[in-house]
Each structure stands twice: as structure tokens, then as C-alpha cells.
Amino acid sequence: GNSVTQMEGPVTLSEEAFLTINCTYTATGYPSLFWYVQYPGEGLQLLLKATKADDKGSNKGFEATYRKETTSFHLEKGSVQVSDSAVYFCALSTGGSNYKLTFGKGTLLTVNP
Amino acid sequence: KAGVTQTPRYLIKTRGQQVTLSCSPISGHRSVSWYQQTPGQGLQFLFEYFSETQRNKGNFPGRFSGRQFSNSRSEMNVSTLELGDSALYLCASSFADLNTEAFFGQGTRLTVV
């Protein structure tokens, strides 16, 4: 079956530091890959996505590249802000009649001023 | 456009009772998925409905059930509640194509006492 493994948290950084959250996956077929973010008391919001190998998803300064050879989709941001403090989830989906999202455990990021 | 709406936002129930949660998807989305989020298990897939048919089901006991109506609105029901059912229940809607993302509601926080 499908599975997603992401870096255990929590991660604590100072403002303007560089962020990397590692994510690797196992999937049957050719999945799409996503990063979702969850702010306190909220549901999940899509941060970025990639649908084929070597695609780079990007949004709000965050980036992740779909690496089929290493089955990875690591999240990066060059300079984090206090407002980036949240829980980040890596996820994959397979479409059609088997449509569902498989999530990693989530990584709590805290950014201090 | 309006997002995914889940009602109620909060619920407190007693062990042994049953509960029904509601989800209104984004207009035009025919797929509705449900997820359970707990601190210990993370985000776990419950089931997915597409055009009133359950296409996919996660590994949950039969006490968890759902349905989808012709207007794509969905309900999930949990019978004979247990303390371990306390969780945030998230609903997501999508077009269910491989390359499209799921949009999440804010969730229903269920507490079983």
C-alpha cells in the first residue's frame, strides 16, 4: 500500500532561518504529491503540489521538487517568518476509483522572532 | 467561491451515544472524503464518496458509516461512541482526478466523555 514518511518534529527555528522538512513516500502507481499546512484550530490548507517527476511546486516562498528516483518531496523555504508556525503534512494521492490522500504524521514548526 | 462547510464545529457526546456530522462540499465537487485526526494516529482516511457511491473505505470498524446525497453533501455517522473516537473529523471535497487537490473544511471536534 501507500505510505508517507516525514521528518519528526518539532522543529524550532529563528526568523529568517532556512527550513527543510524531509518527506519520502512509497506508492503503487504514479501518485501526485502535496504539502498541506494546518494552523491552530483550523483544517488543512494546500500549500503546494506536484503531479509528475521533476515538477517543482511552489507557493508563498515554499518549494518542493518531485523526485521519482529517490521517492522524495522535501519542503524548503529560504527564510521563514513567525507566521509560518504551523503543522506541515506531506501527502500523496492516487486518483480514479481509489482516490484518497495518504498523509505523513506531520511536522510542527515553530518560528521564533 | 464558498469553501467546504462542516457542521457542527464542536460536539460533546457520552459513551454509547451516536453522532452525525455533516459536510457541504465546494460547488461542483462530486467527491467527498472523510478523515479522522488524532494526536496519536495522525490523519487517517475513513471513506470516500463519489456521486452517492462509496468508492473507498479505510480501516475503521463498522460503527463508522457515511452517505452522500444527490447534491453531493455528505454525512458521517458514528454509533456506540467510545472514548477513543474523540478526534477532529475533517471532510475534504475534490474533483477526484489524480492531479487535483482536496479542499478541507475546518473540521468537527468530537469529544466523547
Side-chain angles (χ1 to χ4, degrees):
Chain A
N2 299 335
S3 67
V4 175
T5 302
Q6 69 179 96
M7 187 171 126
E8 295 280 336
V11 174
T12 303
L13 296 173
S14 298
E15 208 165 22
E16 298 184 4
F18 183 84
L19 169 71
T20 298
I21 301 176
N22 291 336
C23 171
T24 57
Y25 67 90
T26 303
T28 52
Y30 205 153
S32 292
L33 302 175
F34 306 89
W35 277 99
Y36 280 86
V37 59
Q38 186 176 35
Y39 298 101
E42 300 291 322
L44 276 68
Q45 299 175 26
L46 178 70
L47 183 58
L48 52 84
K49 69 175 185 180
T51 59
K52 60 184 188 295
D54 300 325
D55 262 4
K56 178 185 281 189
S58 61
N59 186 25
K60 299 181 183 178
F62 291 90
E63 292 183 340
T65 301
Y66 191 144
R67 300 288 188 202
K68 192 167 184 289
E69 64 277 11
T70 55
T71 62
S72 65
F73 192 55
H74 305 320
L75 182 68
E76 296 183 335
K77 187 175 185 183
S79 176
V80 294
Q81 305 300 311
V82 171
S83 57
D84 294 327
S85 298
V87 181
Y88 292 82
F89 293 92
C90 184
L92 66 83
S93 78
T94 52
S97 62
N98 193 35
Y99 182 81
K100 70 174 185 180
L101 285 165
T102 301
F103 288 92
K105 292 282 190 186
T107 302
L108 173 62
L109 170 66
T110 301
V111 180
N112 295 318
Chain B
K1 59 183 175 184
V4 178
T5 303
Q6 290 188 249
T7 56
R9 288 291 310 278
Y10 302 93
L11 267 178
I12 300 176
K13 290 287 188 179
T14 305
R15 272 181 301 174
Q17 287 187 313
Q18 75 164 16
V19 67
T20 299
L21 312 182
S22 179
C23 172
S24 294
I26 290 171
S27 177
H29 286 184
R30 293 164 64 190
S31 170
V32 174
S33 303
W34 290 88
Y35 296 83
Q36 182 195 65
Q37 186 178 23
T38 59
Q41 298 299 316
L43 281 153
Q44 294 188 286
F45 172 76
L46 280 155
F47 27 66
E48 187 253 355
Y49 288 86
F50 185 86
S51 294
E52 301 180 66
T53 300
Q54 186 184 88
R55 298 195 299 182
N56 205 356
K57 190 178 193 308
N59 188 26
F60 278 82
R63 301 185 296 107
F64 291 81
S65 63
R67 59 179 176 167
Q68 186 180 35
F69 302 95
S70 58
N71 62 358
S72 293
R73 190 177 71 84
S74 177
E75 291 180 345
M76 68 163 281
N77 184 276
V78 188
S79 62
T80 319
L81 283 165
E82 300 176 0
L83 294 178
D85 297 334
S86 295
L88 181 67
Y89 290 88
L90 291 165
C91 165
S93 78
S94 77
F95 289 113
D97 290 333
L98 173 64
N99 296 331
T100 61
E101 65 269 25
F103 293 84
F104 283 81
Q106 290 186 293
T108 294
R109 171 75 63 186
L110 172 64
T111 302
V112 182
V113 297

